[in-house]
Amino acid sequence: MKANAKKFASILLILSMMGTALVGCGKENKTQTNETMGTNETSAQTADDKMGGEITVAFMSAPENFDPDHPQSDWVVTAVTNHVYEGLFEFSATDEAVPHLAESYEIIDDGKTYDIKLRKGVKFSDGDEMKAEDVKASMERWFKVNAAGVNIADSLKEIEIVNDYEILVKFDQVYAPFISIIASPVSCQKMIVKKKEIIDKFGEDIITEHIGTGPYVFDDIVQGQKVVLKRNENYCPAEGELSGLAGKRVAYLDKVTIEFAPEESVRIAGLQSGLYAFADEISPDKYSTLEQFPGISPVICNFGTMGIVAFNCGGNYFSNKTLRQAVAYSLDVEELATAQIGDKKFWSVDDGSWFKKGSIWYDEKAGEGIYNAHDLEKAKALVKESGYNGETISILGTKSDLFMNNGALVLQNQLEKIGIKAELNLVDNATFGEYRASGKWDILFSRWSDMNPDPQVFGPWTGTDGWITNWNDEDSKKMDEIFARMINELDYEKRYEIVKEFYDKFWEDVPYIKTFNDKRLYGISDKLNGYQGYGQPYFWNVWMSK
């Protein structure tokens, strides 16, 4: 169970590391906040007033298919198919998985079985009611095809249909994060419900016929160019206030056309001309350009990636915990963020918690005293205590990656201030991969998504031989034990205490270091109202000014 869970969580974070993984947005221009962005209309508007209209939006990249279970899928697949398909559970803005197509669930059999009851009356876009047989078929395919499901499939005993509106998911052992994992907002990981007859037709092959329960349906797909979504007239929304991906979804717009425009200049020109009501992935240096466009506002997205400084804990130097601590105390993460990202609007230095404030897994005391301490005297004392004797430390990077290169230059200078001699080893991509795999490095930079479904995903990246750190000593084994307890604890309060143990142990041992959180830039028409955004962009609950 432990080994399988580690493998599973590795896949989750490998996927979530993608630079375009996830975003949640708040409009910062024109003094609008996340709650007020785009709400130009009066509060007296009714749902009928908001209903109707069409928009065209621009995404940077085009997916190869629209089957989010399939291993070849990427983040754009989820951004599009979130409109067409839904999960049994969806994530709220506080990082909680809440029932969506499910009505409720109960954990029984000493924690080994999930009894999931389904909402009655939910219809697929073709008018047929969603039943337990559809959920069972969808979940079985998820365990076979989706990378997240495949990596816990060995722990699954069976999925049993109790009646048309209830299933039992049975495991060999307790697996506490299951609900969070099947609701994962990370790209291409969520277990979404498809129609059984479609699954029977396509099996494990890429699905090209789409019948879902979401607020929109595919009206047209021009591969590599665009998709057209139209309102699902058979849609049966969940109840509750919209929060993240959870709550009531309303398809106010008649039609949403998503064009795939890889050239940034095309996306910007489309915003300026009024062709696009929304465009993603705009370079931060274009912020002032968007500000000049009448009727367009730049949108800074508050979820992006985290900067990481990683140590080769199995190498000659950073197997020494004291030397790792010295580097952690020395870092000026604001200087790193300025060099690697640029304008302060697009990054933040918060705290040592791996989950943001507002999340149920947030801990304001994580990293207290060491994260962003920038205490050079403490760092110098630790360097001396470590026994470091002037050897040259290698900072590995790739020639083509400015994020790595700029960070490496700044870090080299910061290390010199505490008496550590460092050299930059900037190589081509192939050599970088070879050196990283073979351990021919001491420090390197990385980026991870700052949105994750559960603390458990950090286990295989942080414990013995986790990720690329080659960490294997008494401390790494103590970290393994913390995650072993975490995976088996079903009570939230008790599990949260274990998560705080993880934070404390992490910042004591620092196998790698979180530096800063960065943000992304979108462009949005001022006529587009109600846009919130969580995870990938979505266009339910939005409407156009008339």
Side-chain angles (χ1 to χ4, degrees), residues 85 107 251 278 435 498 508:
Y85 295 105
I107 304 174
F278 176 98
Y435 281 11
I498 298 173
E508 175 190 344

Side-chain angles (χ1 to χ4, degrees), residues 52 135 309 320 460 487:
V135 176
V309 172
N320 186 320
I487 204 169

Side-chain angles (χ1 to χ4, degrees), residues 155-285:
S155 302
L156 178 71
K157 284 181 64 177
E158 64 174 329
I159 302 170
E160 176 185 327
I161 293 177
V162 177
N163 55 53
D164 282 347
Y165 305 103
E166 184 176 3
I167 65 168
L168 300 176
V169 184
K170 301 180 179 181
F171 290 94
D172 291 329
Q173 299 182 46
V174 176
Y175 189 73
F178 177 64
I179 297 298
S180 294
I181 297 309
I182 63 172
S184 174
V186 179
S187 302
C188 302
Q189 293 178 6
K190 180 168 54 184
M191 200 293 291
I192 58 176
V193 178
K194 308 178 186 71
K195 208 172 179 186
K196 181 179 183 297
E197 68 178 70
I198 296 296
I199 294 174
D200 289 343
K201 179 177 180 178
F202 287 91
E204 298 181 21
D205 295 335
I206 293 173
I207 289 175
T208 58
E209 294 179 23
H210 301 279
I211 301 175
T213 64
Y216 287 92
V217 299
F218 284 114
D219 188 41
D220 188 25
I221 298 176
V222 182
Q223 202 66 43
Q225 298 181 34
K226 69 177 182 179
V227 299
V228 180
L229 305 171
K230 69 177 182 180
R231 185 187 298 115
N232 175 9
E233 301 298 343
N234 291 309
Y235 185 54
C236 304
E239 294 302 317
E241 183 178 351
L242 187 69
S243 173
L245 294 171
K248 187 175 182 178
R249 302 178 180 183
V250 182
Y252 290 124
L253 297 167
D254 296 331
K255 188 176 290 187
V256 178
T257 298
I258 301 174
E259 293 189 357
F260 305 113
E263 295 83 10
E264 182 182 60
S265 60
V266 173
R267 299 196 299 281
I268 291 176
L271 284 171
Q272 186 177 22
S273 69
L275 171 62
Y276 298 142
F278 176 98
D280 75 351
E281 299 301 326
I282 306 298
S283 302
D285 61 5

Side-chain angles (χ1 to χ4, degrees), residues 341-353:
I341 304 299
D343 195 319
K344 192 170 183 178
K345 287 194 293 289
F346 299 99
W347 54 266
S348 65
V349 173
D350 302 319
D351 49 47
S353 179

Side-chain angles (χ1 to χ4, degrees), residues 268 272 282 284-294 296 298:
I268 291 176
Q272 186 177 22
I282 306 298
D285 61 5
K286 299 297 192 299
Y287 183 91
S288 58
T289 301
L290 296 187
E291 282 189 303
Q292 304 306 312
F293 292 166
I296 298 295

